[in-house]
Amino acid sequence: NIGLDLGLSSPVNNGQSFGVDLKMNMLTYTGPDVSVIVDSTAFDNRYEVTLNPYYRLENDKLKLLLGLNLMIVSQDETDVFVSPNVKLDVPIANWSLFYINLGGGIESNTMYQVSRLNRYINPAFTPDASRTWADLKLGIRSSAAAGLWFDIFAGYKYTESDILYNPSSYDWIDKGFNNVSMAFQPTTQRLQVGATLKYDYRHIFDFYLKGVYNHYNLKYLDTWKNLYGAQGLDKDDDMEAYGRPAFTFDAGLN
């Protein structure tokens, strides 16, 4: 796995700048003999490129980033897609801030990454890269009193070839749970709302509470329907966002 990150920027007056970031990733597999696995392209070499030109403005009134992610993913075929890259912070009062983050990107899903999440993954199939067309988060951060602040936010994310793990094995065994599993990669849409509350007592200790609700909609790609339709997952309604909790709660004390 060979990666390259390169960034160039040119400042201009009044807190403005122009720049471009380049990210490249090349994956080369020395996999098993492809004649013994189903997907003959599973261990083909892959490359991913993201070019991000942008304009940035920072001053006392706002922080603004306007850009685009121009992305190329080459696996069994070459896909080109574009996502926005926008960030905006606007003070709306002395102690309040409205913010928007809208981005996208590529997740490589290398066998190394996947095995750290699920060590029982079938190594004869390498997952495709995930392509996020839009990842939106907007919210309000505010300090209600000295040492007390909160963050209320909402978000939406659209990802093609997201990577999930079904609790069954997908290995053509009719019943029973097996500790060899395969990733399946539907298109996912996630709606999210949440809030964070933090209190700092005289810089002696602080604690925070955070709660998030996620709602997922899943839809199969045709290639995955053809491969796994015989396993009883031929309807989009049969799928769940396995491994993605609907509610998450966090608390911390320092």
Side-chain angles (χ1 to χ4, degrees), residues 23 49-52 65 67-73 81-87 101-108 130-137 156-160 190:
K23 182 177 181 180
V49 181
T50 301
L51 184 67
N52 169 224
L65 174 70
L68 289 174
N69 294 315
L70 310 175
M71 290 168 280
I72 301 174
V73 179
F81 70 106
V82 179
S83 74
N85 183 28
V86 178
K87 295 182 180 180
N101 296 329
L102 176 59
I106 303 169
E107 187 63 47
S108 297
S130 299
R131 300 179 295 278
T132 297
W133 289 76
D135 188 358
L136 170 67
K137 182 179 181 181
Y156 171 79
K157 187 175 183 180
Y158 182 94
T159 302
E160 286 186 357
R190 185 200 69 189

Side-chain angles (χ1 to χ4, degrees), residues 142-190:
S142 180
S143 178
L148 177 66
W149 68 270
F150 64 86
D151 182 4
I152 301 174
F153 56 88
Y156 171 79
K157 187 175 183 180
Y158 182 94
T159 302
E160 286 186 357
S161 296
D162 204 349
I163 184 164
L164 302 172
Y165 305 97
N166 191 276
S168 62
S169 66
Y170 279 147
D171 60 0
W172 292 270
I173 296 176
D174 292 336
K175 57 185 177 179
F177 185 90
N178 304 278
N179 63 350
V180 176
S181 62
M182 287 185 61
F184 73 108
Q185 297 192 268
T187 294
T188 63
Q189 298 181 70
R190 185 200 69 189

Side-chain angles (χ1 to χ4, degrees), residues 143-149 197-203 205-207:
S143 178
L148 177 66
W149 68 270
L197 176 69
K198 184 175 181 179
Y199 178 68
D200 184 346
Y201 178 72
R202 297 184 178 181
H203 303 294
F205 71 88
D206 66 77
F207 72 89

